[in-house]
Amino acid sequence: MEEKKKLRCPLGIPGGMLAAIIGLIGVIVNIVNFNWFELITSLALLLLAMPFVRVTMMVHSANDRLDELEMKIK
């Protein structure tokens, strides 16, 4: 029987990682330049990006488990 390809696109993971890296760089640059308002913005981006990566990874692993269960049922 032919294996079906997974159609899920894990773009949330690189997108979240990119947002976390940008937030971290923004935090460092704004600390050096004493720009406090943009420091808060960069910190918020960093704190929002990290859970986004984790949730996306959990959803993809749950979908993989569901696919395995469907294969066992058939």
Side-chain angles (χ1 to χ4, degrees), residues 2 4-5 9-10 13-15 25 31-32 44 52 56 61-62 64:
E2 187 176 318
K4 71 175 184 178
K5 291 185 179 181
C9 181
I13 297 170
I25 291 171
I31 286 174
V32 169
F52 182 71
T56 306
S61 66
D64 291 339

Side-chain angles (χ1 to χ4, degrees), residues 2-9 64 67 71:
E2 187 176 318
E3 290 277 328
K4 71 175 184 178
K5 291 185 179 181
K6 295 178 182 174
L7 298 176
R8 289 183 292 287
C9 181
D64 291 339
D67 287 344
M71 291 296 285

Side-chain angles (χ1 to χ4, degrees), residues 1 64-74:
M1 189 152 93
D64 291 339
R65 289 184 197 141
L66 284 174
D67 287 344
E68 289 178 14
L69 288 173
E70 287 176 355
M71 291 296 285
K72 286 182 182 178
I73 290 174
K74 290 180 182 180

